[in-house]
Amino acid sequence: MSNPDAAKQRLYGHLVVAASFLAVFVLFGYRSTFAILKDPMLKDMGWTNAQTTIGYSIMMTIYAISAFFCGMILDKWGTKPVFAISAVLGALGFYVTGQITSMPAYILAYGLFGGIATGMLWVTSTISVRKWYVGKSYATMWGFAFAGAPLGQLILTYFIKNALSEGTSWRSIYEGLGYTTFVVLAIAFFLAKRGPESYGLHADGAMPAAGGAAPAKEYEWTIGQAFSSYPIWGAILTFVFSVLAEFLVWTQVVSYWRVDLGMDISTASYMYMVIGVVGIFSMPIMGIVADYTVKVTGYEPLGRKRMLQLGPSIGIVACVLLFLQRQSLWIGVVSCVLFAVYWAIVPGGVVGYSGSLYGRKTLGKIWGLATLIVMGTGPFTGSFLGGYLKDVTGSYTASLAVALVSFLLSLIFATSLPLRLLNPEERRLAAPAAATT
């Protein structure tokens, strides 16, 4: 006999994953299309490179700030309001950018509107999946959702390049991206669901409690309580050093291939696309691997920690292979494959680890503040260091060396992550017992 609650949980959970897939499709579309449309905009507006990129820099700063407030909205009112705001502001960010005639209008459209929308999309997609899937199910389902990121990069990059080659103006492309963003996020809005408890359901994949005991009621952490404990800071530092390394690689590797290795632009572009193509498959595959690790260890924090140790370790190997690429083009291809595998592990892994210790009820505001810290430092620092090191050393090799060291620091902090955390109530109850022993 079928269980109607189980069928409902499965349907709603899959709808949440589909909505998150569409959210990260738009998010990474925002981040990847700028690189293609920057030069046509620069020439048409008569701006310098610095003036043109200021919109992207401001977008990433607002992204980090809006992520924090989005977490609080998510915990209180659920996913739908966030997707509604993101649909409107994300569409305006693209569309109005296509109409700009001045720098203030550009900063307002791409920087402010785009930044608010993208920051909300990242937190909402990660947290909503975590609210529906835990334990031995979370990483697999997040992997399917996160596959929207490389797919968004590939599809939008392909169509925009073709449109530009056919003579379509950058303004028309931005307008088209505005319409596309609104439609995609409107679909995500209708698919989105609140947390499972709102429907009388439970998260899928919970690990059995020791001795068959009923799972303990989740403690509702305050921001101050959570950030007074080490696990969230350990997760933040693991993530921020991986993100710093990642942005050093993403922003400099094509130039490294072209300038330091003498590769032609066509080969370098295809090499870079390997990361996106492999990412479509590595996201769900590594999610399955992560959940299998949790199942084998029998304890979710331990399984998530081991995957967070694996992620930056793969990043280190990928950086080393880039140094060895002078010997063979295929070594570089393997490096790109490994970067795609790293990408599939760490972003979702830090959310999974944090959720395994702090629970799901207040994870939105906790991870919203964590995202503010990570995205407010890692992308800017990585991008800035890449340009600065090129100016100082005259090559892009130094950027890869710093990325390797940053991945190593990420691995060190991942290794330091504790496996257990007592909430304030548990510590209060444990104190009298400790005093009598």
Side-chain angles (χ1 to χ4, degrees):
M1 186 175 180
S2 61
N3 183 344
D5 281 348
K8 189 176 181 182
Q9 198 285 336
R10 189 179 305 109
L11 172 62
Y12 282 17
H14 289 172
L15 291 177
V16 167
V17 171
S20 296
F21 175 95
L22 296 174
V24 295
F25 181 97
V26 171
L27 165 60
F28 281 83
Y30 242 101
R31 289 170 54 173
S32 63
T33 54
F34 176 79
I36 309 169
L37 294 170
K38 180 187 71 171
D39 286 344
M41 181 193 298
L42 180 153
K43 293 175 183 177
D44 187 42
M45 299 299 293
W47 291 341
T48 65
N49 272 288
Q51 288 175 316
T52 311
T53 55
I54 192 67
Y56 187 88
S57 299
I58 292 174
M59 183 194 75
M60 291 303 298
T61 301
I62 300 298
Y63 171 112
I65 296 170
S66 70
F68 171 60
F69 293 101
C70 170
M72 294 189 288
I73 296 172
L74 191 61
D75 283 339
K76 190 170 184 178
W77 290 296
T79 307
K80 283 185 179 292
V82 180
F83 278 139
I85 295 170
S86 298
V88 173
L89 292 182
L92 283 174
F94 271 140
Y95 186 86
V96 177
T97 299
Q99 314 298 315
I100 60 168
T101 57
S102 66
M103 179 61 64
Y106 174 46
I107 291 173
L108 174 68
Y110 200 88
L112 182 61
F113 292 164
I116 294 173
T118 52
M120 286 186 161
L121 291 176
W122 173 249
V123 172
T124 305
S125 57
T126 54
I127 298 304
S128 60
V129 174
R130 178 66 199 188
K131 284 181 179 289
W132 279 86
Y133 295 96
V134 297
K136 55 181 182 281
S137 296
Y138 162 71
T140 299
M141 303 312 291
W142 170 244
F144 283 108
F146 199 32
L151 192 63
Q153 285 182 299
L154 284 174
I155 290 177
L156 294 178
T157 298
Y158 174 79
F159 281 107
I160 289 173
K161 280 186 174 180
N162 283 351
L164 288 173
S165 66
E166 293 170 2
T168 306
S169 72
W170 64 271
R171 293 184 182 277
S172 297
I173 292 173
Y174 267 124
E175 291 172 5
L177 288 171
Y179 290 122
T180 301
T181 294
F182 185 81
V183 171
V184 171
L185 292 182
I187 296 172
F189 171 84
F190 287 108
L191 295 178
K193 300 294 178 185
R194 293 178 65 92
E197 290 80 9
S198 299
Y199 309 98
L201 304 172
H202 300 284
D204 181 73
M207 305 293 290
K217 184 180 179 181
E218 282 192 1
Y219 182 82
E220 296 191 20
W221 292 82
T222 67
I223 288 288
Q225 290 169 344
F227 280 78
S228 296
S229 60
Y230 178 71
I232 189 63
W233 286 107
I236 286 171
L237 291 168
T238 299
F239 197 20
V240 78
F241 280 110
S242 275
V243 168
L244 191 155
E246 176 184 320
F247 270 76
L248 272 168
V249 174
W250 291 170
T251 58
Q252 308 302 322
V253 71
V254 173
S255 298
Y256 167 75
W257 288 327
R258 293 186 61 199
V259 177
D260 291 19
L261 302 189
M263 193 179 293
D264 63 84
I265 183 60
S266 177
T267 303
S269 298
Y270 282 118
M271 287 278 292
Y272 191 66
M273 287 178 64
V274 168
I275 300 173
V277 173
V278 175
I280 296 172
F281 304 98
S282 66
M283 301 299 180
I285 290 173
M286 294 312 298
I288 294 171
V289 171
D291 284 338
Y292 178 76
T293 304
V294 168
K295 185 177 180 180
V296 169
T297 59
Y299 186 55
E300 186 174 8
L302 176 58
R304 301 297 176 212
K305 176 177 178 176
R306 287 185 176 174
M307 292 304 296
L308 286 176
Q309 291 172 305
L310 176 63
S313 298
I314 291 174
I316 291 170
V317 175
C319 286
V320 171
L321 290 180
L322 284 179
F323 290 126
L324 300 175
Q325 186 180 340
R326 297 176 188 274
Q327 302 173 23
S328 170
L329 180 66
W330 288 105
I331 293 178
V333 173
V334 173
S335 176
C336 291
V337 171
L338 291 179
F339 276 124
V341 173
Y342 146 79
W343 194 23
I345 295 173
V346 174
V350 286
V351 179
Y353 169 79
S354 301
S356 70
L357 292 184
Y358 295 96
R360 297 176 299 114
K361 284 191 174 181
T362 50
L363 185 60
K365 62 184 179 184
I366 293 171
W367 194 249
L369 180 54
T371 299
L372 168 60
I373 296 169
V374 173
M375 293 302 172
T377 56
F380 173 83
T381 306
S383 301
F384 172 78
L385 269 179
Y388 176 76
L389 291 170
K390 170 62 170 64
D391 292 339
V392 171
T393 66
S395 81
Y396 294 95
T397 304
S399 294
L400 302 181
V402 174
L404 190 153
V405 173
S406 191
F407 275 129
L408 177 60
L409 289 172
S410 178
L411 173 59
I412 291 171
F413 282 109
T415 302
S416 76
L417 293 174
L419 299 178
R420 298 188 185 277
L421 173 66
L422 295 178
N423 62 53
E425 181 63 22
E426 290 171 330
R427 289 201 298 269
R428 185 183 66 80
L429 295 174
T436 60
T437 58

